[in-house]
Amino acid sequence: MLIKQWGKYLFILLCLVVIHWLYLIQSGFLPQIDIWSQSILHDFIGAKPIMFFRWVTELGSTTFLMPFVVCMSIVLFVLYRQWLIPIIYLLGCLSGWATNHMIKLMVERERPSIWEAVEGTGYSFPSGHATSSMICYGLLIYFLIRNIRSEQSRLWIVLAISVLILLIGVSRYVIHVHYVTDIIAGFTLGWMMILIWTKMFAYLSKMKQT
């Protein structure tokens, strides 16, 4: 219960910080965290880490996630034998992509650099890879652990997929197609979408039982 409470506070804090960054970006300023992190990128990150994250970033790409989400929707249906779970999963992933795209068009922030091979084109804020990976993998965690009784197995699944989500976000910074603020905003948006769709699932499940 305490962890959930602190999670709510963290989410609210992140939303406020992202809104502040958005105000700065719209005013033509570069947030201080982006100035600081850009200097680290140029000074300390070499070719080998960039090549590693070049491949990690593919796990958050539209090319990979579209068939992945379809396959996982089928897996979720086979596991639970009900349509609500895969439908919520699909809608959550699609709505996250659409919301991210809409915000990008509204903000119109230019990327720090362009790299077409890794979907590093178009507008920058918020990161589509961060948003999509948070939603697609995050909702998958939510639904998968419902069917697993072992606390240890559930913990390992949560940790492993959470690390993957984090690495995908970091990869967008390391290969220099996003600012740090883009990635944090993308994660925050993804977190928001997960909260919305899991609440929707709980509500519809309860309605179905009554």
Side-chain angles (χ1 to χ4, degrees), residues 20-59:
H20 173 66
W21 288 338
L22 184 56
Y23 170 76
L24 291 176
I25 293 167
Q26 291 290 77
S27 300
F29 297 101
L30 191 65
Q32 192 62 39
I33 188 174
D34 287 332
I35 298 172
W36 172 74
S37 59
Q38 288 295 96
S39 63
I40 289 181
L41 181 66
H42 291 300
D43 293 342
F44 295 105
I45 297 179
K48 288 185 179 179
I50 288 177
M51 288 309 300
F52 169 74
F53 284 108
R54 157 70 180 85
W55 297 111
V56 169
T57 202
E58 293 296 333
L59 298 177

Side-chain angles (χ1 to χ4, degrees), residues 71-172:
C71 290
M72 288 300 102
S73 298
I74 295 171
V75 169
L76 290 172
F77 176 75
V78 171
L79 283 175
Y80 293 101
R81 296 294 178 179
Q82 55 174 290
W83 284 106
L84 182 59
I85 290 177
I87 287 174
I88 290 291
Y89 182 61
L90 279 169
L91 289 176
C93 295
L94 290 173
S95 64
W97 177 86
T99 304
N100 178 277
H101 185 66
M102 180 180 66
I103 295 173
K104 281 187 175 183
L105 293 177
M106 293 171 60
V107 178
E108 296 185 337
R109 186 187 200 185
E110 297 297 329
R111 293 176 183 270
S113 64
I114 302 295
W115 191 352
E116 292 186 13
V118 293
E119 297 184 355
T121 58
Y123 295 122
S124 183
F125 186 95
S127 166
H129 277 62
T131 301
S132 296
S133 60
M134 175 66 86
I135 298 170
C136 296
Y137 296 120
L139 281 177
L140 188 61
I141 291 174
Y142 175 80
F143 288 122
L144 281 180
I145 64 176
R146 291 168 57 85
N147 206 35
I148 298 174
R149 295 183 178 180
S150 170
E151 285 292 332
Q152 188 174 13
S153 298
R154 293 170 68 173
L155 178 61
W156 278 111
I157 289 173
V158 171
L159 286 176
I161 299 180
S162 297
V163 168
L164 174 62
I165 294 170
L166 179 62
L167 286 175
I168 291 171
V170 170
S171 74
R172 305 305 285 174

